[in-house]
Amino acid sequence: MNNNLFCVIMAGGIDRRFWPLSRQNRPKQFIDLLDTGSTLLQMTYNRMAKVCPKENIFIVTGFLFKNLVQEQIPEINDSQTLVEPTRRNTAPCIAFANERIRAINPEASIIVTPADHLILNEEKFVKVINDGIDFIEKEDALLSIGINPSRAETNYGYIQIEDTSQNEGIAKVKNFTEKPDKELAKFFIESGEFFWNAGIYMWKLKDITYAFELHLPEIQELFAENREVYNTKEEENFISRIYSGCKNISIDYGIMEKAENVYVYCADFGWSDLGTWSNLFDNKEKNDDHNVTNHQNILTYDTHNTLITTTDNKITAIQGLEDYVVAETYDSLLICKRSEEDKIREIVNDIKFKKGEENI
């Protein structure tokens, strides 16, 4: 493997759209959502270990989740877990990882990936990553991955390419667009110029550092002000101090939408960000009634297109539901129309206010 290649897995987010399964003390990246025997983080780590030396894989997470990371990925050592004292979105997360990697190898090339996405065709994924690394090592480029869209999805960001004459799947980026409404999403699909933004990036360390210096100089200056502390005992105190003054901003908004040297590799390897219960429903096997259930003790009657997950294999009988989510844990139960699952955020906020933060 390429010893100059490093991988950064971002595993610090809290996604409340999967409440009550995903909780603030164990968010979805640490859960076996797909009932495969592996959590999303474990699947991501194993996938990245196919393209990057294991000792070069870093996992960025929150203080609360450090033990979960080390429990689920026991083969990494303590220095490969980068702990954020507070969440500040993806740009500070990446700036932190950049400086840690610089202390080891200033000539590094880097892959950045979320910890909680689904990729069905890993063989194709590995080819895309290897092709992408070849590209960024020859070009001074920031490379994102765009997924060929199969529907007018309003829960994904989109990447527009400058033209359709792609160089072996790689094209110059014209625009990034955050989650559009239904009509705009339909236009994007019909135009043939837009791809889903997978949130996976590749670049050389020197190129992403220059982009930070140009577009997010205040963040770059914070993390670079005391480079000699990285990989030492002083790093934790330094990071704790600077994070409190760090801007909360995404890498897309802070850099990718502004830089001139941004490209996208347009690909299709069975990707989903598993951002909603419906995304999970779409990616799981259905029974004869087009229901998704997580064990054999769930019995359904006149129920269709419904996702049902319960704990402890308890006998569960569901009658008369169409297009619902039923999710039960040891202390909570959600019953929600799949077409209105965007209200789950509102529900969780209400539970936090009325029942206490410990219940979300």
Side-chain angles (χ1 to χ4, degrees):
M1 285 190 178
N2 180 354
N3 289 325
N4 285 342
L5 181 59
F6 287 73
C7 176
V8 177
I9 299 175
M10 300 182 291
I14 297 176
D15 193 335
R16 292 175 177 173
R17 292 172 295 179
F18 274 102
W19 186 89
L21 238 57
S22 177
R23 309 295 276 265
Q24 61 181 355
N25 61 348
R26 186 180 286 262
K28 71 172 182 175
Q29 61 268 30
F30 302 107
I31 299 172
D32 179 11
L33 272 181
L34 297 161
D35 301 312
T36 63
S38 297
T39 68
L40 296 178
L41 173 62
Q42 290 169 326
M43 294 173 70
T44 301
Y45 176 83
N46 292 334
R47 184 163 58 242
M48 300 316 301
K50 295 179 179 179
V51 295
C52 181
K54 287 186 176 182
E55 62 271 20
N56 291 357
I57 298 177
F58 291 85
I59 300 175
V60 187
T61 194
F63 177 78
L64 289 176
F65 311 137
K66 180 180 179 180
N67 290 340
L68 275 174
V69 168
Q70 294 175 338
E71 170 190 313
Q72 294 193 1
I73 315 291
E75 54 263 60
I76 69 169
N77 61 50
D78 191 59
S79 67
Q80 290 173 263
T81 306
L82 281 63
V83 180
E84 295 182 291
T86 187
R87 293 194 305 277
R88 284 292 185 268
N89 217 314
T90 53
C93 164
I94 290 167
F96 180 13
N98 287 346
E99 294 303 323
R100 173 67 80 82
I101 292 169
R102 181 189 312 282
I104 301 167
N105 186 340
E107 303 302 316
S109 296
I110 303 172
I111 311 162
V112 178
T113 180
D116 54 1
H117 290 185
L118 170 67
I119 290 171
L120 294 175
N121 192 328
E122 291 196 352
E123 185 177 344
K124 279 189 179 179
F125 173 79
V126 168
K127 181 182 185 304
V128 168
I129 294 297
N130 287 331
D131 289 347
I133 293 300
D134 287 344
F135 176 78
I136 61 104
E137 288 185 344
K138 294 172 185 173
E139 306 286 340
D140 294 332
L142 309 178
L143 182 64
S144 58
I145 291 183
I147 304 299
N148 293 314
S150 58
R151 61 187 182 277
E153 177 62 64
T154 58
N155 287 310
Y156 295 161
Y158 286 74
I159 302 172
Q160 182 182 18
I161 59 176
E162 277 195 352
D163 58 59
T164 55
S165 57
Q166 300 166 31
N167 177 22
E168 296 183 356
I170 295 176
K172 192 82 162 45
V173 169
K174 185 175 183 180
N175 281 310
F176 284 80
T177 303
E178 280 305 306
K179 301 171 183 178
D181 60 27
K182 197 70 175 178
E183 289 304 312
L184 191 56
K186 287 179 180 177
F187 170 77
F188 286 173
I189 299 300
E190 291 166 0
S191 75
E193 296 180 2
F194 289 82
F195 297 80
W196 289 337
N197 183 359
I200 301 171
Y201 310 99
M202 288 168 273
W203 40 55
K204 292 191 291 292
L205 176 59
K206 72 177 184 67
D207 293 328
I208 189 61
T209 299
Y210 177 74
F212 268 98
E213 291 170 346
L214 194 63
H215 302 292
L216 291 175
E218 65 280 21
I219 290 180
Q220 180 60 28
E221 288 167 10
L222 275 177
F223 285 93
E225 81 177 45
N226 200 2
R227 281 178 169 162
E228 61 270 20
V229 305
Y230 289 98
N231 287 315
T232 72
K233 293 179 181 178
E234 287 76 39
E235 180 185 303
E236 183 178 344
N237 287 336
F238 172 70
I239 292 298
S240 294
R241 177 174 63 81
I242 67 170
Y243 250 81
S244 61
C246 199
K247 189 175 184 180
N248 187 327
I249 189 169
S250 72
I251 195 71
D252 282 341
Y253 185 75
I255 289 180
M256 301 300 279
E257 293 182 12
K258 299 172 182 175
E260 297 294 328
N261 59 331
V262 179
Y263 291 79
V264 58
Y265 194 137
C266 305
D268 185 7
F269 38 71
W271 172 90
S272 171
D273 78 344
L274 289 181
T276 64
W277 285 110
S278 286
N279 290 152
L280 183 61
F281 177 86
D282 291 340
N283 284 286
K284 294 195 73 170
E285 185 177 348
K286 319 294 188 300
N287 63 19
D288 291 343
D289 291 321
H290 213 249
N291 295 321
V292 170
T293 60
N294 72 322
H295 60 79
Q296 293 182 341
N297 284 338
I298 294 174
L299 308 174
T300 60
Y301 307 88
D302 302 319
T303 293
H304 307 90
N305 302 308
T306 292
L307 185 150
I308 307 160
T309 176
T310 71
T311 55
D312 301 328
N313 291 325
K314 65 181 63 174
I315 295 175
T316 304
I318 302 288
Q319 192 277 331
L321 292 186
E322 186 84 25
D323 295 310
Y324 268 78
V325 171
V326 179
E328 180 266 353
T329 66
Y330 71 97
D331 67 347
S332 304
L333 171 66
L334 170 74
I335 302 173
C336 176
K337 291 181 180 178
R338 285 204 297 122
S339 61
E340 298 181 24
E341 64 180 341
D342 57 332
K343 293 183 178 178
I344 292 176
R345 287 182 186 271
E346 181 183 332
I347 290 168
V348 171
N349 287 334
D350 196 43
I351 291 169
K352 177 180 177 181
F353 177 71
K354 293 179 178 178
K355 301 298 179 182
E357 190 168 1
E358 67 276 10
N359 292 300
I360 62 171

Short mmCIF file of all heavy atoms in Angstrom, two decimals, residues 164-194:
data_model
loop_
_atom_site.label_atom_id
_atom_site.label_comp_id
_atom_site.label_asym_id
_atom_site.label_seq_id
_atom_site.Cartn_x
_atom_site.Cartn_y
_atom_site.Cartn_z
N THR A 164 -20.19 17.95 -19.48
CA THR A 164 -20.43 16.51 -19.40
C THR A 164 -19.30 15.70 -20.04
O THR A 164 -19.34 14.47 -20.05
CB THR A 164 -21.76 16.15 -20.09
OG1 THR A 164 -21.75 16.66 -21.43
CG2 THR A 164 -22.94 16.74 -19.33
N SER A 165 -18.29 16.38 -20.58
CA SER A 165 -17.15 15.65 -21.18
C SER A 165 -16.13 15.36 -20.09
O SER A 165 -15.15 16.05 -19.91
CB SER A 165 -16.52 16.50 -22.29
OG SER A 165 -16.11 17.76 -21.78
N GLN A 166 -16.43 14.33 -19.31
CA GLN A 166 -15.60 13.99 -18.16
C GLN A 166 -14.34 13.25 -18.58
O GLN A 166 -14.34 12.50 -19.54
CB GLN A 166 -16.40 13.12 -17.19
CG GLN A 166 -17.65 13.80 -16.66
CD GLN A 166 -18.56 12.79 -15.99
OE1 GLN A 166 -18.13 11.82 -15.43
NE2 GLN A 166 -19.85 13.03 -16.08
N ASN A 167 -13.27 13.47 -17.84
CA ASN A 167 -12.00 12.79 -18.06
C ASN A 167 -11.97 11.55 -17.18
O ASN A 167 -11.61 11.62 -16.01
CB ASN A 167 -10.84 13.73 -17.72
CG ASN A 167 -9.50 13.05 -17.85
OD1 ASN A 167 -9.37 12.06 -18.56
ND2 ASN A 167 -8.50 13.58 -17.17
N GLU A 168 -12.41 10.41 -17.76
CA GLU A 168 -12.45 9.14 -17.02
C GLU A 168 -13.23 9.29 -15.71
O GLU A 168 -12.81 8.83 -14.67
CB GLU A 168 -11.04 8.63 -16.76
CG GLU A 168 -10.29 8.29 -18.04
CD GLU A 168 -8.91 7.72 -17.78
OE1 GLU A 168 -8.51 7.66 -16.60
OE2 GLU A 168 -8.24 7.33 -18.74
N GLY A 169 -14.38 9.95 -15.79
CA GLY A 169 -15.26 10.09 -14.64
C GLY A 169 -15.00 11.31 -13.78
O GLY A 169 -15.78 11.59 -12.87
N ILE A 170 -13.93 12.05 -14.03
CA ILE A 170 -13.59 13.22 -13.21
C ILE A 170 -13.87 14.50 -13.98
O ILE A 170 -13.45 14.65 -15.13
CB ILE A 170 -12.11 13.16 -12.77
CG1 ILE A 170 -11.89 11.94 -11.86
CG2 ILE A 170 -11.71 14.44 -12.04
CD1 ILE A 170 -10.46 11.71 -11.45
N ALA A 171 -14.60 15.41 -13.36
CA ALA A 171 -15.00 16.65 -14.01
C ALA A 171 -14.75 17.83 -13.08
O ALA A 171 -14.72 17.68 -11.86
CB ALA A 171 -16.47 16.60 -14.42
N LYS A 172 -14.59 18.99 -13.66
CA LYS A 172 -14.46 20.23 -12.88
C LYS A 172 -15.81 20.57 -12.27
O LYS A 172 -16.85 20.39 -12.89
CB LYS A 172 -14.00 21.37 -13.80
CG LYS A 172 -13.54 22.63 -13.09
CD LYS A 172 -12.12 22.52 -12.64
CE LYS A 172 -11.47 23.86 -12.32
NZ LYS A 172 -12.20 24.81 -11.54
N VAL A 173 -15.79 21.05 -11.04
CA VAL A 173 -17.03 21.40 -10.35
C VAL A 173 -17.43 22.83 -10.68
O VAL A 173 -16.60 23.75 -10.67
CB VAL A 173 -16.86 21.23 -8.83
CG1 VAL A 173 -18.05 21.85 -8.08
CG2 VAL A 173 -16.72 19.76 -8.48
N LYS A 174 -18.71 23.01 -10.97
CA LYS A 174 -19.25 24.35 -11.21
C LYS A 174 -19.90 24.92 -9.96
O LYS A 174 -19.65 26.06 -9.59
CB LYS A 174 -20.27 24.29 -12.35
CG LYS A 174 -20.82 25.64 -12.77
CD LYS A 174 -21.73 25.50 -13.99
CE LYS A 174 -22.23 26.85 -14.47
NZ LYS A 174 -23.10 26.70 -15.65
N ASN A 175 -20.74 24.12 -9.28
CA ASN A 175 -21.46 24.60 -8.10
C ASN A 175 -21.75 23.47 -7.13
O ASN A 175 -21.89 22.31 -7.55
CB ASN A 175 -22.80 25.24 -8.49
CG ASN A 175 -22.66 26.65 -9.01
OD1 ASN A 175 -22.02 27.48 -8.38
ND2 ASN A 175 -23.24 26.91 -10.18
N PHE A 176 -21.85 23.82 -5.87
CA PHE A 176 -22.41 22.95 -4.84
C PHE A 176 -23.76 23.54 -4.45
O PHE A 176 -23.90 24.76 -4.30
CB PHE A 176 -21.52 22.90 -3.60
CG PHE A 176 -20.29 22.06 -3.76
CD1 PHE A 176 -19.17 22.57 -4.41
CD2 PHE A 176 -20.24 20.77 -3.25
CE1 PHE A 176 -18.02 21.80 -4.55
CE2 PHE A 176 -19.09 20.00 -3.39
CZ PHE A 176 -17.99 20.51 -4.03
N THR A 177 -24.76 22.69 -4.27
CA THR A 177 -26.07 23.14 -3.82
C THR A 177 -26.53 22.28 -2.66
O THR A 177 -26.51 21.05 -2.75
CB THR A 177 -27.12 23.04 -4.96
OG1 THR A 177 -26.67 23.81 -6.07
CG2 THR A 177 -28.47 23.57 -4.49
N GLU A 178 -26.91 22.92 -1.57
CA GLU A 178 -27.44 22.16 -0.43
C GLU A 178 -28.82 21.62 -0.75
O GLU A 178 -29.38 21.90 -1.81
CB GLU A 178 -27.46 23.04 0.82
CG GLU A 178 -26.10 23.16 1.50
CD GLU A 178 -25.48 21.81 1.84
OE1 GLU A 178 -26.14 20.99 2.52
OE2 GLU A 178 -24.35 21.55 1.41
N LYS A 179 -29.41 20.90 0.16
CA LYS A 179 -30.65 20.16 -0.07
C LYS A 179 -31.71 21.02 -0.76
O LYS A 179 -32.21 21.98 -0.20
CB LYS A 179 -31.18 19.66 1.27
CG LYS A 179 -30.18 18.75 1.99
CD LYS A 179 -30.61 18.44 3.40
CE LYS A 179 -29.56 17.61 4.12
NZ LYS A 179 -29.91 17.32 5.51
N PRO A 180 -32.06 20.68 -2.01
CA PRO A 180 -33.04 21.48 -2.76
C PRO A 180 -34.47 21.04 -2.45
O PRO A 180 -34.70 19.99 -1.84
CB PRO A 180 -32.69 21.15 -4.21
CG PRO A 180 -32.23 19.72 -4.14
CD PRO A 180 -31.53 19.57 -2.81
N ASP A 181 -35.45 21.85 -2.88
CA ASP A 181 -36.82 21.40 -2.78
C ASP A 181 -37.11 20.40 -3.91
O ASP A 181 -36.25 20.15 -4.76
CB ASP A 181 -37.80 22.58 -2.81
CG ASP A 181 -37.73 23.40 -4.09
OD1 ASP A 181 -37.35 22.85 -5.15
OD2 ASP A 181 -38.03 24.61 -4.04
N LYS A 182 -38.30 19.85 -3.92
CA LYS A 182 -38.61 18.76 -4.86
C LYS A 182 -38.50 19.21 -6.32
O LYS A 182 -37.94 18.50 -7.16
CB LYS A 182 -40.02 18.24 -4.57
CG LYS A 182 -40.32 16.88 -5.19
CD LYS A 182 -39.52 15.78 -4.51
CE LYS A 182 -39.90 14.40 -5.03
NZ LYS A 182 -39.10 13.32 -4.42
N GLU A 183 -39.03 20.38 -6.63
CA GLU A 183 -39.01 20.86 -8.02
C GLU A 183 -37.59 21.09 -8.50
O GLU A 183 -37.24 20.75 -9.63
CB GLU A 183 -39.84 22.15 -8.14
CG GLU A 183 -41.33 21.93 -8.02
CD GLU A 183 -41.86 20.90 -9.03
OE1 GLU A 183 -41.51 21.02 -10.22
OE2 GLU A 183 -42.59 19.97 -8.62
N LEU A 184 -36.76 21.70 -7.65
CA LEU A 184 -35.37 21.95 -8.04
C LEU A 184 -34.61 20.63 -8.19
O LEU A 184 -33.81 20.47 -9.10
CB LEU A 184 -34.70 22.85 -7.01
CG LEU A 184 -33.32 23.42 -7.40
CD1 LEU A 184 -33.40 24.18 -8.72
CD2 LEU A 184 -32.79 24.33 -6.28
N ALA A 185 -34.88 19.69 -7.30
CA ALA A 185 -34.23 18.38 -7.40
C ALA A 185 -34.59 17.70 -8.71
O ALA A 185 -33.74 17.08 -9.36
CB ALA A 185 -34.62 17.51 -6.21
N LYS A 186 -35.85 17.80 -9.13
CA LYS A 186 -36.28 17.22 -10.42
C LYS A 186 -35.53 17.88 -11.57
O LYS A 186 -35.09 17.20 -12.51
CB LYS A 186 -37.79 17.40 -10.60
CG LYS A 186 -38.62 16.49 -9.73
CD LYS A 186 -40.12 16.75 -9.97
CE LYS A 186 -40.98 15.85 -9.09
NZ LYS A 186 -42.43 16.14 -9.28
N PHE A 187 -35.37 19.20 -11.50
CA PHE A 187 -34.62 19.90 -12.55
C PHE A 187 -33.17 19.42 -12.59
O PHE A 187 -32.60 19.23 -13.67
CB PHE A 187 -34.68 21.41 -12.29
CG PHE A 187 -33.74 22.21 -13.17
CD1 PHE A 187 -34.06 22.46 -14.49
CD2 PHE A 187 -32.53 22.67 -12.66
CE1 PHE A 187 -33.18 23.18 -15.30
CE2 PHE A 187 -31.66 23.39 -13.46
CZ PHE A 187 -31.98 23.64 -14.78
N PHE A 188 -32.57 19.25 -11.43
CA PHE A 188 -31.19 18.77 -11.36
C PHE A 188 -31.06 17.43 -12.07
O PHE A 188 -30.13 17.20 -12.85
CB PHE A 188 -30.76 18.61 -9.90
CG PHE A 188 -30.48 19.92 -9.19
CD1 PHE A 188 -30.23 19.93 -7.82
CD2 PHE A 188 -30.48 21.13 -9.86
CE1 PHE A 188 -29.96 21.11 -7.15
CE2 PHE A 188 -30.23 22.33 -9.20
CZ PHE A 188 -29.97 22.31 -7.84
N ILE A 189 -31.99 16.51 -11.79
CA ILE A 189 -31.92 15.17 -12.37
C ILE A 189 -32.07 15.24 -13.90
O ILE A 189 -31.34 14.58 -14.64
CB ILE A 189 -33.01 14.26 -11.77
CG1 ILE A 189 -32.83 14.11 -10.26
CG2 ILE A 189 -33.01 12.90 -12.45
CD1 ILE A 189 -31.52 13.52 -9.85
N GLU A 190 -33.01 16.05 -14.35
CA GLU A 190 -33.29 16.14 -15.79
C GLU A 190 -32.13 16.78 -16.55
O GLU A 190 -31.91 16.49 -17.73
CB GLU A 190 -34.58 16.93 -16.02
CG GLU A 190 -35.84 16.19 -15.56
CD GLU A 190 -37.06 17.09 -15.47
OE1 GLU A 190 -36.93 18.31 -15.77
OE2 GLU A 190 -38.14 16.59 -15.09
N SER A 191 -31.38 17.66 -15.91
CA SER A 191 -30.31 18.38 -16.60
C SER A 191 -29.12 17.48 -16.92
O SER A 191 -28.38 17.73 -17.87
CB SER A 191 -29.83 19.55 -15.74
OG SER A 191 -29.04 19.08 -14.65
N GLY A 192 -28.92 16.43 -16.11
CA GLY A 192 -27.77 15.56 -16.31
C GLY A 192 -26.46 16.16 -15.85
O GLY A 192 -25.40 15.55 -16.04
N GLU A 193 -26.49 17.33 -15.22
CA GLU A 193 -25.27 18.01 -14.79
C GLU A 193 -25.02 17.89 -13.28
O GLU A 193 -24.00 18.39 -12.79
CB GLU A 193 -25.34 19.50 -15.14
CG GLU A 193 -25.40 19.78 -16.62
CD GLU A 193 -25.47 21.27 -16.92
OE1 GLU A 193 -25.43 22.07 -15.95
OE2 GLU A 193 -25.57 21.63 -18.10
N PHE A 194 -25.93 17.25 -12.56
CA PHE A 194 -25.84 17.26 -11.10
C PHE A 194 -25.68 15.85 -10.55
O PHE A 194 -26.27 14.89 -11.05
CB PHE A 194 -27.11 17.90 -10.50
CG PHE A 194 -27.20 19.38 -10.73
CD1 PHE A 194 -27.68 19.88 -11.92
CD2 PHE A 194 -26.83 20.27 -9.73
CE1 PHE A 194 -27.78 21.24 -12.13
CE2 PHE A 194 -26.93 21.64 -9.93
CZ PHE A 194 -27.41 22.13 -11.14
#
